[in-house]
Structures are given as C-alpha cells and as structure tokens.
Amino acid sequence: MTESTQEKYQKFFDEFEKAYKEYENKVKERRARGIHDYNVFDVLEAKEVKHSKFIASLLDPKGLHYQGDLFLNKFIEVCGIDDFGLDTLNSQVYREYKNIDIYITDGNKHIIIENKIWDASDQDKQIYRYIETIKNKNSSLDNDRILVLYLTPNDGKKPSQKSLNGFEIKDGFLEKGNDKIPYKHIICNDILKWLNKVKIEIVNLTDLNVLISQYEKAVKKLTNQGEKMENNLIIEQIKKNYELCLNIHNEFENAKINLLNELFSKVDKTLQATINPKDWTIEFHEIKEPFKFFSIKLNGYNEENHDGNYIYYCIEPQNGYNNIYFGLVRSNKVKNELNNDCFQNIVKESKYCKSWNKSKWWACYYKKFSTADDLILEYLRNKEFISEIVKDICNDLENLKDVLEKLNKKLIEK
C-alpha cells in the first residue's frame, strides 16, 4: 500500500526531529568544551556603535591599552595606506567627531573612517559633509592631506551618489571638479587581518589578547565566519526528502504571515482594552502584502483632518516582513514637507526619541527584535509575551504623546 502524503510528512518530521536532537546534543558537548560564538561585544552594545568604539579605542596611541601607536601602525599597514604619511605617534583619535564615526589626525594629515559594517544606508551628502567639516576646521587644507576610508561588510557596497554629492570614485580618489581626495574601501576581512597582526604582537599580554579575540569573534559572526557545525544528519534528511522539503519551504512564508497576524491580532485586542480611547485611535491591519501592522493616532490628527497631513505611532514590517520596526511616521501626503529644523528640534527635546530621519520613517525608530523569526519564536515559547509587547507599546505612547502633539501642531502651522 502506498504511503499517503500525510504519512510521508509525519515520517519526515519524526526523522528530522530525531536528527536535530542529535545535533543539539553535539552542540552542547562542544559548548561545554568552550567552543562557541559567545562574545562580550554582542552583549554590551548593538550594531556599528560597538565596532566604531572598539576600533577607535585600539587605534588611539594614547588609549588605555598602553601600546602607543602599535595598533594604529598595524592598521595603516593592513589598509595599505603607509604612503599617506600620518605621524602615528602624535595622532589623536576621535569617536563621533561632528558625526564622523572615527576621525584620526596628527594636525597635518586627516583620516575619516565611515563605518558601514552593518551595511547601514548612506545619509544625504554624508561623505561630502565630512570632508567639508575637516576642510572648514583647517583653513587652506590641501586635498591630499585628507583620506577617506569606507568600511563595509565583505560584500559591502560603495558610497552612494547621494552621500558623495557629486564626487566620483576613480583610481583610489574621490574626484569632483578640481577636488581630488584620497579614498580607500576597506572590508571586515581587513579588520580581521589587522586583529590577527595585533594579536601576534601582544601574545604575552593575556587580558588584552583575550579582549581582542572576543572582538574578532564579533566580526567573524557578522561576516558568517563564526563557529559552525554542519548537521550532516539533517542535510541527508533534506536530500532524501527534497520534494517534501520544497513543499514545506513554499508554505513557510504563509505560516510566518499567519503567525504574525495571530500575534498582532492578540496584541490589538489587549491594547484596545488597555489604552485610553479618548486619547488614541488604533487601527490593526492583517498582512496581505507587506505593510504596517498598527497605526496608532493621537485623536484629532488623522486622515479626515488637516488635508490628511499628520504624524502617528506605527508598527511596521520592513524588507518584506522580516524586520519589525516601532516608531513615529508621517503620512505619505507630507513626504517633502518636513525638512525643517523646527521638527528636528521638537524631536531632540524628547529624551525618548532615538533618531532623526528626513525620509519616511524618522523619530524614535527602532527594532525590538533582530528579525520577525525572533519575534515569532519568542511568542511561541513565552506565554506572557503579548502582555510584554502591549506594555512596551503603552510605554512608547506615554513617552511620545507630548512629542506627537507638538509635531502635529507644527505641521498644521505649515
């Protein structure tokens, strides 16, 4: 008698579960022996901030590592910029100098390091502004005394045209009219080479070596070079049941959408019973195509008022529905009407607003989860998760109510 499709699926899932449990046991054994991807940098701080801070701390000749210009010299060597002529022993290293991620200068030569290690998008005129910042600070500065280093993941892109604002990349230079600024694109593998050279030099300094090794793990993890163990049993199961796996793969996105709708539907019901309807209007949208889950509007500011020009709190997926963002967003009808300092100042007044962005998304823009998959997994294993999300949203609304009101009033004035 031929196996039914349902029996085939059940048999496959039983075998897959067995193989996965065996794999998990092997992983636990390896972790018990100290083979893992854990590193202190992933615990302490997120994204490019931690990378810029640590890289700058090593490059600083006056840093607390007490190794003088050793690390800076090795960095220059790995990047192939020895001929730039920086006086490393007398250099100063700055973090977030006029928004420049890392700025190095000996008073005569100037290195701008723009960190896109998390593949973040370029800001308007970003590289151009940094060059102008250094020029304005140093009158009569020759172009060949400025060097721009652009750090990206191994498959990272070059600076965008909106960032360069007229400069073009040609043969190791940024060129625009008579301006010709030395330029070099460096990648995460260059950082790994640098760290390796540094570790060789400080092999006897155990504490510092351990710290650098921890950071090396963070970079490797970022570039998918972390400690991995191939699960041959699962691979064999997939190969033997390829057609079944293909069908599962095709249905996976539908299952994800279904779970996200289920999760946010429960959030909606709990939220409706929690917030004050006199202050807020909630709209919940099931996913049918990638768009927002929630729009929560301060009463009095909506589509019916002020020609549809309003600003509201939103929960929205990005990149399809793989990343979920929480923040303040403006209605599409005012896309080109917010490039005004008064709006930026209102946002800055609030300690709760985390960022300013003149594109569609802007103030208090953040992710609570790395991916939608992380959100779903937390939902499936944590019974209190819905109430936790609602509590977070209510906290956002409480902290942003005054800002929203000021922003909407200012928009009306325009």
Side-chain angles (χ1 to χ4, degrees), residues 14 37 195 247 269 354:
D14 288 345
D37 270 331
L195 295 174
N247 291 334
K269 289 177 182 175
K354 296 178 174 62

Side-chain angles (χ1 to χ4, degrees), residues 57-115:
S57 72
L58 287 184
L59 293 176
D60 188 356
K62 300 174 181 63
L64 295 177
H65 49 69
Y66 302 119
Q67 299 304 302
D69 62 347
L70 170 65
F71 300 150
L72 181 54
N73 273 318
K74 291 299 175 185
F75 181 79
I76 286 172
E77 179 186 324
V78 167
C79 292
I81 54 172
D82 310 65
D83 58 352
F84 183 62
L86 183 78
D87 180 0
T88 55
L89 196 59
N90 293 303
S91 289
Q92 297 279 341
V93 178
Y94 300 92
R95 264 279 297 128
E96 287 297 328
Y97 175 83
K98 306 287 186 181
N99 293 320
I100 298 171
D101 289 329
I102 303 173
Y103 168 49
I104 308 170
T105 181
D106 61 7
N108 178 47
K109 298 293 181 75
H110 308 266
I111 297 178
I112 296 167
I113 302 179
E114 175 57 19
N115 177 12

